[in-house]
Amino acid sequence: MKIFREPGKLQKWCRARKSAGKKIALVPTMGYLHEGHLSLIAEARRRKADEIVVSVFVNPVQFGPNEDYAKYPRDEKADLAKCRAAGATAVFFPTPSNMYLDRHSTYVVEEDLSKGLCGARRPGHFRGVCTVVAKLFNLAHPDFAVFGQKDYQQAQVVKRMVRDLNFDLDIVVAPIVREPSGLARSSRNTYLSASEREAALVLSRSLAALKAAASASPRPAKSALAKVAAAIEKAGLKVDYVECVDAETLENAKRVASGTCVLVAAYDGKTRLIDNVLI
Ligand code: AMP
C-alpha cells in the first residue's frame, strides 16, 4: 500500500495509474476510521477498482470557529493498519499547509442543496467540503468516489457539484453502518460517555419507528417530526433539527412518505450527532 503526504506526488501516481488503464476509486475521510469508513472501501472493492485511494484529512476549512477541529480524534497508525487490512492500495495523508498553500483563495460553493439542514447550522461547512472534495478529485483522478449515506446532505451536495461542474466521475453512496445497538457509527462517538452513548440510541430508534410507521402509510410531517423531537429531548439530548425533505431536492416535505428522507441533528452533551433514514 502506497502512502502519500504530498498532493503533487499522489497526483502524479494517480495520473500514471489512470494512463495505464486502471480504474481508480477514491474514499474521502477525516480518519479515525471505523466500520462505516471500511464499508466504503469494501464497496470500492466490490466495484472492482484496481486502485483504492483513501484520503485521511481533517479539513480545517469545513469546521466553524466554535467547532471541534482541534480536538477531532486522530490516529494515523491505526488508520494505516485498517486501510491495509481493508484492501486500500494507497492512503493520502496531507497536512493543512500542503493542501492550502499560502494565500489559498479559491473555494467551491454549492448554492442550493447546501442552504438548509447542516448548511444552515454550520455556515461555511459545505463550502469547505466542496472545496476539499474538488481538490481530491483533481488529485486522484477517480473513476468513482464513495461517500456514506450517514452524511446524506453532503452526498447530495457533492453529487450536485459533480453534475454542475462536469467532474468526470461517478458518485456512489453506501448505506449507513450501525453498531449492533443501532447507533450510527461515527468518529465522534468516541467523545460520548457511557450514559451519553445509551441516550444516543433515541436517534436511531425514533427514526426507525417513524420509517416503519410511514412505510405502512404516509404521515403528516409536522406531527411526526414533533414526536421524534420530543422523544430526543426526553432522552436528554438537545435537538438541532429534525426535518423531512424530498430525498433529491432536499426541500421540506409535507408528508413523511416514500421518496423522502428524515434527518436529525442533536447535541448529546457537547457532541453533535447526526442520523437519517430514507423512507
Ligand atoms: P468522515 O470521516 O466522518 O468525514 O466520513 C468520511 C466518509 O465516511 C463520509 O462519506 C461519510 O458519510 C462516511 N461514513 C461515516 N460514517 C459512516 C457510517 N456509519 N456508515 C457509512 N458511511 C459512513
Side-chain angles (χ1 to χ4, degrees):
M1 187 177 73
K2 295 259 178 199
I3 300 170
F4 296 98
R5 294 181 191 279
E6 299 282 332
K9 290 196 174 144
L10 172 75
Q11 193 174 44
K12 196 169 161 206
W13 181 76
C14 288
R15 196 191 297 133
R17 300 308 287 154
K18 186 106 175 170
S19 302
K22 302 299 181 192
K23 183 167 169 179
I24 301 178
L26 173 69
V27 179
T29 81
M30 298 204 298
Y32 212 73
L33 302 179
H34 51 67
E35 294 293 326
H37 298 114
L38 303 182
S39 76
L40 309 184
I41 301 175
E43 181 61 27
R45 283 175 47 202
R46 211 179 61 74
R47 289 171 183 261
K48 309 245 179 298
D50 300 300
E51 303 293 357
I52 302 175
V53 180
V54 179
S55 63
V56 175
F57 180 52
V58 185
N59 174 33
V61 183
Q62 72 189 64
F63 285 79
N66 299 317
E67 295 182 358
D68 57 342
Y69 174 69
K71 73 162 190 172
Y72 196 85
R74 293 159 168 92
D75 189 343
E76 185 175 314
K77 223 171 130 192
D79 286 350
L80 276 175
K82 286 176 189 171
C83 284
R84 194 172 277 121
T89 61
V91 181
F92 179 44
F93 273 114
T95 61
S97 57
N98 61 23
M99 281 297 268
Y100 298 103
L101 300 180
D102 192 26
R103 294 182 170 234
H104 178 101
S105 57
T106 308
Y107 297 88
V108 181
V109 182
E110 191 286 323
E111 297 190 339
D112 176 19
L113 303 174
S114 304
K115 285 226 151 77
L117 302 166
C118 286
R121 277 83 185 175
R122 303 183 66 189
H125 171 66
F126 288 114
R127 167 180 177 267
V129 168
C130 286
T131 301
V132 79
V133 168
K135 285 168 70 65
L136 292 168
F137 290 169
N138 284 333
L139 292 171
H141 304 293
D143 292 273
F144 68 94
V146 193
F147 290 82
Q149 189 202 314
K150 165 83 192 331
D151 297 84
Y152 187 80
Q153 186 180 17
Q154 168 175 280
Q156 295 305 114
V157 167
V158 168
K159 276 200 231 167
R160 178 68 65 83
M161 176 186 81
V162 163
R163 188 199 75 169
D164 288 352
L165 299 184
N166 306 95
F167 279 101
D168 191 12
L169 80 160
D170 295 323
I171 300 299
V172 175
V173 183
I176 302 177
V177 175
R178 298 179 179 281
E179 294 185 358
S181 64
L183 178 65
R185 291 189 187 269
S186 164
S187 306
R188 288 189 170 99
N189 291 350
T190 186
Y191 299 147
L192 302 175
S193 68
S195 59
E196 286 170 345
R197 189 174 269 272
E198 183 61 32
L201 301 184
V202 70
L203 301 178
S204 53
R205 286 184 183 156
S206 53
L207 287 179
L210 176 52
K211 182 181 165 101
S215 303
S217 70
R219 306 273 145 159
K222 205 167 162 200
S223 54
L225 299 177
K227 201 170 152 195
V228 171
I232 293 171
E233 297 270 344
K234 187 161 174 237
L237 282 71
K238 194 174 169 316
V239 169
D240 194 16
Y241 64 76
V242 180
E243 291 188 35
C244 176
V245 299
D246 178 278
E248 297 295 318
T249 65
L250 304 190
E251 281 164 9
N252 279 107
K254 287 210 163 46
R255 294 188 318 155
V256 185
S258 169
T260 65
C261 185
V262 180
L263 304 98
V264 303
Y267 287 93
D268 190 1
K270 289 199 166 103
T271 307
R272 187 174 180 277
L273 300 174
I274 57 172
D275 201 347
N276 68 79
V277 276
L278 278 167
I279 310 294

